[in-house]
């Protein structure tokens, strides 16, 4: 009888310790997951609020996507993207024509990315999704530029 009591005591103690550790691990995982998701969402909201940075970054991404098969050195890509982003930002802030051109480019790029990430069942659904994303991005670009210019 003494052995049974002793075994159940140790067994319960081990299970309580392992449940505490597993609870802490789950809490840590949830905290890190929520932190990562909130960081991504805040970054996306920043890019949406600053449409000039988003459109310049999309152009830099396009440069990388078109040239990554050449297997250039990493500094070439870094310098190229920095140059593209900085020149794009200057052009957008100086000339209204470039704001419009970059806005159209951003609308097209966002509608293509969204149709790829969301997916579609038929071609008509793809075109509807792309049209909705294009219009929403155009409206958002107009609002964003009005807010940027006021500052």
């Amino acid at each position: 009888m003494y052995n049974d009591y002793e075994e159940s005591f140790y067994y319960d103690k081990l299970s309580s310790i392992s449940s505490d550790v597993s609870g802490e691990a789950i809490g840590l995982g949830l905290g890190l997951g929520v932190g990562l998701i909130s960081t991504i969402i805040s970054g996306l909201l920043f890019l949406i609020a600053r449409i000039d940075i988003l459109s310049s970054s999309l152009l830099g991404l396009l440069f990388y996507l078109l040239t990554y098969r050449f297997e250039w050195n990493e500094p070439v890509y870094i310098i190229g993207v920095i140059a593209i982003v900085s020149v794009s930002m200057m052009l957008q802030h100086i000339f209204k024509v470039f704001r419009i051109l970059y806005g159209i480019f951003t609308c097209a790029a966002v509608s293509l990315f969204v149709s790829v990430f969301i997916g579609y069942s038929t071609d008509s659904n793809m075109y509807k999704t792309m049209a909705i994303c294009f219009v929403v991005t155009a409206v958002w670009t107009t609002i964003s530029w009005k807010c940027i210019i006021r500052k």
Side-chain angles (χ1 to χ4, degrees), residues 51-77:
I51 203 73
D52 54 341
I53 297 172
L54 177 64
S55 60
S56 299
S57 301
L58 284 174
L59 192 63
L61 177 66
L62 181 67
F63 163 74
Y64 175 74
L65 290 176
L66 292 175
T67 60
Y68 78 95
R69 291 187 183 194
F70 298 142
E71 296 180 4
W72 294 335
N73 292 332
E74 290 176 15
V76 173
Y77 291 117

Side-chain angles (χ1 to χ4, degrees), residues 79-112:
I79 292 170
V81 169
I82 289 173
I84 288 171
V85 168
S86 58
V87 168
S88 298
M89 292 286 289
M90 288 188 326
L91 288 174
Q92 289 181 69
H93 283 278
I94 294 172
F95 302 110
K96 190 173 187 174
V97 173
F98 283 101
R99 282 184 217 149
I100 295 169
L101 290 175
Y102 278 97
I104 292 170
F105 168 73
T106 303
C107 293
V110 168
S111 64
L112 288 173

Side-chain angles (χ1 to χ4, degrees), residues 17-52:
I17 290 173
S18 65
S19 66
D20 289 344
V21 171
S22 64
E24 290 175 5
I26 290 172
L28 178 67
L30 286 174
L32 288 174
V34 168
L36 180 66
I37 290 170
S38 64
T39 301
I40 290 170
I41 290 173
S42 65
L44 288 174
L45 290 176
F46 172 75
L47 287 176
I48 289 171
R50 291 298 308 258
I51 203 73
D52 54 341

